[in-house]
Amino acid sequence: MSKTIKEQYKRYQLRHVAGQFYLLDMQQPGVPYKRPMELNEIGAEIWQMMAEGCTLEQVVGKLAEEYDAGEEDIRQDVLAFKKGLLTYGVEIGE
């Protein structure tokens, strides 16, 4: 049985410590230890929207409105963010 996207996101917790955001894998085996992924404020915002179930287009629309930026530029940034998650080993659906 496959996990739902929300269940997959629950594996990771976003923490804000000393002005920096960190994404922690709460199910890692411990050896080898995987350091938390550092995120900037916008990365944390993207993560939160994705974890709430927002689609790519919803994330793009909200960020474009909030930052008064072009949707295509934002879309490319969000896709790069998602690729960075995969590179770091954060595996989530869609």
Side-chain angles (χ1 to χ4, degrees):
M1 177 181 352
S2 67
K3 293 181 179 180
T4 66
I5 294 201
K6 286 202 176 203
E7 288 172 333
Q8 293 172 4
Y9 276 96
K10 286 182 183 179
R11 174 180 178 157
Y12 302 95
Q13 291 188 9
L14 184 64
R15 297 284 193 246
H16 187 233
V17 179
Q20 180 64 46
F21 290 94
Y22 296 93
L23 191 60
L24 292 83
D25 182 349
M26 303 307 289
Q27 295 178 9
Q28 66 174 305
V31 177
Y33 174 71
K34 186 166 86 175
R35 296 180 56 88
M37 181 179 184
E38 291 184 36
L39 301 177
N40 62 21
E41 186 175 332
I42 295 175
E45 189 174 355
I46 293 169
W47 175 264
Q48 288 172 324
M49 286 188 278
M50 290 172 28
E52 291 169 1
C54 290
T55 66
L56 172 64
E57 292 309 313
Q58 289 171 324
V59 172
V60 168
K62 288 178 182 182
L63 292 175
E65 185 176 318
E66 182 176 346
Y67 294 101
D68 194 29
E71 287 190 4
E72 190 53 38
D73 290 336
I74 299 253
R75 182 175 293 102
Q76 293 307 313
D77 290 344
V78 173
L79 291 172
F81 174 77
K82 290 177 78 172
K83 184 176 180 180
L85 290 174
L86 286 173
T87 300
Y88 197 76
V90 176
E91 297 182 28
I92 40 129
E94 195 243 315

